[in-house]
Amino acid sequence: MEEKYRAMLSKISADEGFRQDLTACLEKKRQAQLRQTDRRYCKMKKRWTVMAAALAMLACAGAAAAVLHSAFGAKNDGVEFSDRYPQYVEAIPDQTVGDPAVDTAPPAADTPARTEAEKLDLQASGDGVQVALEACLCDEGFLDLQFRVKLSGEKLDAFRVGTDADWEVPLTYLSFNDPVVEENGVRSVRLGGANYTLTIDGRDVWLRGRTAQAVEKVGVGEYVIQQMWFLGDDVLGDRDEFRVILCDVAVGLGEQCIPIDGGFELTVSRAKAAAASADVPLVENAWSPRPGVTKTVEKVTQTPLQTIFRIRSVYTGVDSDQLDIDAWDYLVYDADGQARPTYSTRVSAEITYADGVSERLSDPGEYDFSRSSFTGATFVTEEIAAAAPVEGRMTLRAYESDDVPDFRLTAVAAYRIDLNAGTVEAEARNQVLYDAGTGEMDEEFRDYYRQRYGQDPETVLGAPALPQG
């Protein structure tokens, strides 16, 4: 069962120790729920907030008007856009795969009842599932696609075997470019819906740790999915227009992985957002958290949708037997000291060996060096942190996680940035905010957790609240 959770949680941008905490918590809840007589344990998946059905009619150049869900952006992964985002959304008409005639209404009273065997077959089939690509949003940093999944009334009814009449199977993921495999009669996708592979201009690009997905139930048998990829210059170069292909479409319904025939193909342009974007020049601000390591906030890009910080780290004297590379995360605080939802990730990594030979790593989250043994190497990484636009003075707080002996999150530094003056000042902090071994956490960790994962940490980690005052 632990492996199942690892697949389900693989799309979360967090370190392994943190995922282990989540896995243990989910397993504890599952065991408690399995003692009940029905199948409600499927509800252990986090329930995404059901937003009000505020719809907007947006017209796009060269495309028909489309009805768009108001909550664009995978916000539960720390992604947030400015209020100007509707100006940059492009509707995508006539891109639907799966069952062309899904009726979400319950079966009519005179509909012949299916046998239990027929319901089990319907659970695993693609019948009664429709997936539509409705819109896209793209700027200098992100590509965000909006999908809508509809399940027929018969499909929902097939999953209610042995459950309450109002129980509804949850949509757990929407997967692309990850072929469905079957082993011992069980179908699955290798990455559990993490969507790490994106085909851009005919080239498969591996984007581990650079994706986010939000699933929101908007009606009976109807879900809106926001799928985001971070696409920096290392992926797109100087191209403002590119072609995206999504094949191997699959949906996760409860514990079923269901392949859907067909795929999606679209041309995306970031030219409109790029025309309204600008880089903020910063003075030299190299800072050393420990000997042999320097970190620099190299550039801040102001787009009409987000403020994107780029952080460059240089590690010198790196040896293969002691590869001490940080796993950092970031949170933006505005001039009033309020934490802002922040998406952060490592986007590139390169090692230069002592003899001058360089190797750019295609997957910056897992280091598979071509040389098994080396000394005196230099390791360079680039990270990004992005929040809805902030101006003037703000603070970029940096956090480092480790899991020895237990998972801990430490506030390592605070970068005080003045975008008007182009200055950055780094302040060392080195304050432990959360320790899984003791369960103790402070209010800053609660801020971090709420902004990063969209819920209070006590609901997942089980730590008691500390006394106030």
Side-chain angles (χ1 to χ4, degrees):
M1 189 58 69
E2 181 177 335
E3 288 303 314
K4 171 190 164 185
Y5 288 136
R6 287 181 180 277
M8 292 168 63
L9 297 173
S10 62
K11 59 177 174 280
I12 296 180
S13 178
D15 85 315
E16 185 61 22
F18 184 75
R19 289 193 189 131
Q20 289 173 357
D21 287 341
L22 287 178
T23 299
C25 179
L26 289 173
E27 177 62 11
K28 181 178 179 180
K29 290 183 179 180
R30 188 187 76 89
Q31 293 293 342
Q33 291 171 328
L34 281 177
R35 289 192 287 268
Q36 301 179 17
T37 57
D38 60 22
R39 298 173 62 197
R40 291 176 185 169
Y41 64 90
C42 290
K43 294 182 182 178
M44 69 184 177
K45 286 289 293 180
K46 174 185 174 186
R47 291 173 180 248
W48 300 101
T49 303
V50 180
M51 305 286 293
L55 302 176
M57 295 296 294
L58 302 178
C60 298
V67 177
L68 303 178
H69 188 61
S70 61
F72 220 99
K75 295 185 179 181
N76 286 290
D77 286 86
V79 178
E80 185 173 83
F81 299 119
S82 73
D83 293 340
R84 297 173 59 191
Y85 81 85
Q87 303 174 34
Y88 297 89
V89 173
E90 293 190 14
I92 302 175
D94 306 323
Q95 292 245 22
T96 301
V97 300
D99 195 328
V102 165
D103 184 359
T104 59
D110 59 353
T111 301
R114 291 178 179 267
T115 66
E116 298 302 293
E118 287 174 333
K119 288 186 176 182
L120 290 175
D121 287 341
L122 182 55
Q123 285 183 17
S125 77
D127 296 337
V129 181
Q130 181 186 101
V131 183
L133 171 57
E134 295 186 324
C136 72
L137 178 66
C138 186
D139 77 351
E140 288 288 271
F142 291 92
L143 168 64
D144 203 343
L145 300 181
Q146 175 180 291
F147 298 86
R148 190 176 299 265
V149 174
K150 293 183 179 180
L151 310 178
S152 70
E154 280 197 316
K155 189 77 170 183
L156 293 175
D157 186 61
F159 277 95
R160 292 194 177 105
V161 179
T163 68
D164 294 339
D166 62 349
W167 182 81
E168 185 171 325
V169 60
L171 178 70
T172 53
Y173 61 80
L174 177 61
S175 177
F176 311 101
N177 297 337
D178 190 8
V180 175
V181 297
E182 185 169 341
E183 185 176 352
N184 299 324
V186 177
R187 290 186 303 203
S188 64
V189 287
R190 181 173 67 96
L191 300 174
N195 293 328
Y196 290 156
T197 301
L198 189 60
T199 303
I200 299 176
D201 289 341
R203 180 173 66 96
D204 289 341
V205 182
W206 180 251
L207 297 169
R208 181 184 183 275
R210 300 168 68 167
T211 67
Q213 185 178 102
V215 179
E216 296 186 17
K217 182 175 179 289
V218 296
V220 176
E222 187 171 352
Y223 301 84
V224 168
I225 296 91
Q226 306 292 346
Q227 175 64 51
M228 182 275 291
W229 293 270
F230 175 76
L231 303 177
D233 292 340
D234 63 308
V235 175
L236 297 178
D238 58 0
R239 288 174 291 177
D240 280 337
E241 185 173 283
F242 53 98
R243 193 75 175 164
V244 172
I245 297 176
L246 301 172
C247 300
D248 299 311
V249 181
V251 297
L253 290 179
E255 296 186 350
Q256 290 280 359
C257 175
I258 302 174
I260 306 297
D261 291 336
F264 302 100
E265 186 171 351
L266 69 154
T267 297
V268 178
S269 174
R270 58 177 181 172
K272 183 178 180 181
S277 300
D279 290 336
V280 178
L282 299 177
V283 298
E284 175 62 30
N285 58 90
W287 174 72
S288 179
R290 64 174 184 270
V293 182
T294 59
K295 285 182 172 286
T296 306
V297 183
E298 282 207 318
K299 184 172 67 171
V300 177
T301 300
Q302 292 281 36
T303 84
L305 304 176
Q306 292 190 317
T307 299
I308 303 173
F309 303 83
R310 288 177 171 81
I311 303 99
R312 184 174 186 264
S313 303
V314 179
Y315 305 81
T316 58
V318 177
D319 299 341
S320 56
D321 60 350
Q322 192 174 5
L323 188 62
D324 189 11
I325 306 300
D326 303 315
W328 285 37
D329 204 354
Y330 299 88
L331 197 63
V332 174
Y333 285 75
D334 62 21
D336 296 326
Q338 297 297 311
R340 305 285 292 271
T342 308
Y343 179 84
S344 63
T345 188
R346 181 175 293 161
V347 297
S348 69
E350 183 177 70
I351 187 169
T352 300
Y353 300 105
D355 61 4
V357 175
S358 294
E359 178 181 0
R360 189 173 181 85
L361 306 181
S362 60
D363 181 355
E366 294 177 352
Y367 309 122
D368 183 15
F369 301 111
S370 61
R371 301 187 186 187
S372 59
S373 179
F374 57 85
T375 60
T378 299
F379 197 83
V380 179
T381 67
E382 181 187 1
E383 303 161 286
I384 64 103
V390 288
E391 297 179 351
R393 296 176 182 271
M394 79 282 299
T395 300
L396 181 65
R397 296 190 184 176
Y399 305 95
E400 184 175 16
S401 58
D402 63 77
D403 52 7
V404 178
D406 297 294
F407 174 77
R408 292 182 303 179
L409 186 77
T410 302
V412 183
Y415 295 94
R416 292 191 291 272
I417 301 173
D418 186 336
L419 293 180
N420 294 330
T423 59
V424 181
E425 181 182 353
E427 175 190 1
R429 298 188 61 206
N430 297 318
Q431 175 186 354
V432 176
L433 305 183
Y434 172 68
D435 189 326
T438 63
E440 293 183 355
M441 65 178 72
D442 69 6
E443 196 57 37
E444 184 174 347
F445 178 77
R446 292 188 179 91
D447 270 345
Y448 166 86
Y449 198 92
R450 291 184 194 111
Q451 300 297 346
R452 189 65 182 82
Y453 300 107
Q455 57 186 328
D456 290 329
E458 287 86 355
T459 63
V460 175
L461 304 178
L466 296 179
Q468 298 298 313

